[in-house]
């Protein structure tokens, strides 16, 4: 009766459940349609990194999507400057997805924080240590091509 105030107060839980359900239905329908057209397609989603808060803040119930087999790859945007925080986040995500048949490819915020070579390499190293099978970089543009990548050569060749 009092939209949108009621959705944020009296009926908040129902509203959040409805929104999660509507977005999840869309994810399932898109997957079904895509796989019907081409069964070899790989279905992925770039998601907010914290599944528990993303469920309510943006309606991304991506753990459910993964557990129900609606995604082949999930790519959480784990953008941080801190390699330790990045590693902890990936480990938490792996635990949340234990048993799900989905590949976890963590997103590294290369341009989000203008990561230099060593913090970037530490985050890449965390994906290797945790055996994610890969990672994504966001965003690769001219600054990263001309500034960050040239730093990787000496960093990779040093003992």
């Amino acid at each position: 009766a009092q939209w949108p105030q009621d959705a944020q107060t009296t009926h908040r839980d129902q509203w959040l459940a409805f929104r999660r359900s509507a977005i999840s239905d869309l994810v399932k329908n898109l997957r079904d349609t895509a796989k019907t057209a081409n069964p070899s397609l790989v279905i992925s989603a770039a998601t907010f990194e914290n599944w528990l808060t993303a469920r309510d803040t943006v309606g991304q119930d991506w753990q459910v999507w993964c557990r129900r087999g609606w995604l082949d790859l999930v790519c959480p945007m784990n953008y941080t400057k801190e390699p330790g925080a990045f590693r902890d986040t990936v480990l938490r995500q792996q635990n949340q997805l234990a048993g799900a048949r989905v590949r976890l490819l963590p997103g590294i915020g290369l341009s989000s924080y203008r990561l230099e070579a060593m913090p970037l390499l530490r985050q890449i190293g965390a994906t290797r240590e945790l055996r994610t099978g890969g990672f994504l970089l966001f965003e690769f543009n001219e600054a990263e091509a001309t500034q960050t990548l040239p730093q990787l050569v000496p960093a990779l060749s040093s003992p």
Side-chain angles (χ1 to χ4, degrees):
Q2 299 276 325
W3 177 262
Q5 297 87 347
D6 285 352
Q8 297 171 356
T9 57
T10 310
H11 300 291
R12 185 176 195 285
D13 290 341
Q14 293 95 328
W15 164 249
L16 295 175
F18 166 78
R19 185 172 65 163
R20 277 193 303 274
S21 177
I23 294 171
S24 292
D25 287 348
L26 176 64
V27 170
K28 181 187 183 307
N29 290 337
L30 289 171
R31 179 197 170 69
D32 291 348
T33 300
K35 289 291 191 173
T36 298
N38 184 347
S40 66
L41 286 176
V42 175
I43 309 299
S44 66
T47 61
F48 284 80
E49 62 91 15
N50 189 328
W51 160 71
L52 286 171
T53 58
R55 295 177 74 239
D56 289 343
T57 58
V58 294
Q60 285 186 345
D61 205 352
W62 56 263
Q63 184 189 53
V64 168
W65 307 344
C66 294
R67 292 201 177 282
R68 293 186 180 166
W70 299 343
L71 298 179
D72 301 305
L73 299 172
V74 63
C75 311
M77 299 177 282
N78 297 342
Y79 306 162
T80 180
K81 289 182 179 183
E82 302 301 323
F86 177 85
R87 184 190 181 286
D88 292 346
T89 297
V90 174
L91 188 57
R92 176 178 37 84
Q93 292 163 342
Q94 286 179 318
N95 289 332
Q96 289 171 335
L97 295 174
R101 297 185 60 154
V102 63
R103 284 188 58 201
L104 171 67
L105 295 182
I108 298 173
L110 177 61
S111 66
S112 301
Y113 290 101
R114 298 284 179 237
L115 293 179
E116 294 185 3
M118 290 314 295
L120 172 59
L121 289 173
R122 286 186 186 104
Q123 290 187 31
I124 291 170
T127 68
R128 291 179 174 163
E129 174 194 344
L130 297 173
R131 301 176 189 258
T132 65
F135 58 89
L136 299 173
L137 297 178
F138 181 85
E139 153 191 36
F140 188 76
N141 57 38
E142 185 177 353
E144 285 66 40
T146 60
Q147 297 168 22
T148 307
L149 286 187
Q151 294 175 17
L152 293 180
V153 174
L156 289 171
S157 60
S158 65

